[in-house]
């Protein structure tokens, strides 16, 4: 699609995301709030958005199945979009919320960290807190820095699960092996502190 212009400048747009899944409820004819991503734009106490809420409208446009809500989310001008929600579509009680939308990479990050935290909680529960869990998303400098930080965080664990599923690749494998093979040769302990 192109804007009418002597220079033929392409018109572009970027899909924006709400921080929660939008699911169709065929029975009611409305869309509903599905899973809300932890720490995302919709996961704010003051917004009072709950999973299962019915979405009455987005940005002033009434929302019924099968209306394509991406027509709104793909062409937003403002950073925040108004959602009208209710727990019961037959009720007159409606809640108006202005949600700050996020781009694809912010949503990807929310999904990723929620997945990591879910794995971490599961390992913690199954091991009774004795085993730590960390994920290495890629073999780059940022992942190496995060790996070092999390090793310190889990230093008192009896064992560690290092997950490399869906790793994007890179070249820090030698540094990781070097760190994992090292044995401690000493440590600092302040006088009067509890040496752990």
């Amino acid at each position: 699609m192109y804007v009418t212009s002597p220079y033929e400048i392409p018109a572009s747009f970027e899909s924006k995301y709400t921080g929660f899944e939008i699911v169709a409820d065929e029975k009611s004819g409305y869309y509903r709030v599905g899973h809300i991503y932890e720490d995302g734009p919709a996961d704010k106490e003051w917004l009072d958005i709950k999973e299962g809420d019915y979405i009455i409208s987005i940005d002033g446009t009434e929302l019924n199945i099968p209306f394509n809500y991406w027509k709104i989310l793909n062409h937003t001008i403002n950073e925040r979009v108004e959602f009208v929600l209710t727990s019961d579509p037959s009720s007159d009680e409606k809640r108006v919320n202005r949600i700050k939308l996020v781009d694809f990479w912010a949503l990807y990050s929310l999904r990723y960290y929620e997945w990591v935290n879910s794995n971490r909680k599961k390992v913690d529960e199954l091991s009774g807190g004795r085993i730590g869990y960390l994920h290495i998303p890629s073999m780059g400098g940022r992942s190496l820095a995060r790996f070092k930080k999390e090793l310190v965080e889990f230093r008192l664990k009896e064992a560690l699960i290092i997950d490399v599923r869906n790793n994007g690749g890179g070249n820090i494998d030698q540094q990781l092996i070097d760190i994992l093979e090292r044995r401690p040769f000493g440590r600092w302990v302040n006088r009067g502190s509890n040496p752990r």
Side-chain angles (χ1 to χ4, degrees), residues 67-76:
F67 180 78
N68 182 2
Y69 53 83
W70 289 109
K71 289 180 180 179
I72 304 168
L73 298 180
N74 282 348
H75 298 279
T76 57

Side-chain angles (χ1 to χ4, degrees), residues 9 16 25 27 31-32 42 49 62 74 83 88 90 96 122-123 127 134 151 184:
I9 301 170
K16 297 291 185 177
D25 181 22
K27 187 176 178 183
Y31 290 98
R32 300 183 82 169
I49 298 173
E62 192 172 330
N74 282 348
F83 282 74
D88 180 3
S90 63
V96 178
K122 189 170 187 179
V123 168
S127 69
L134 61 85
L151 272 184

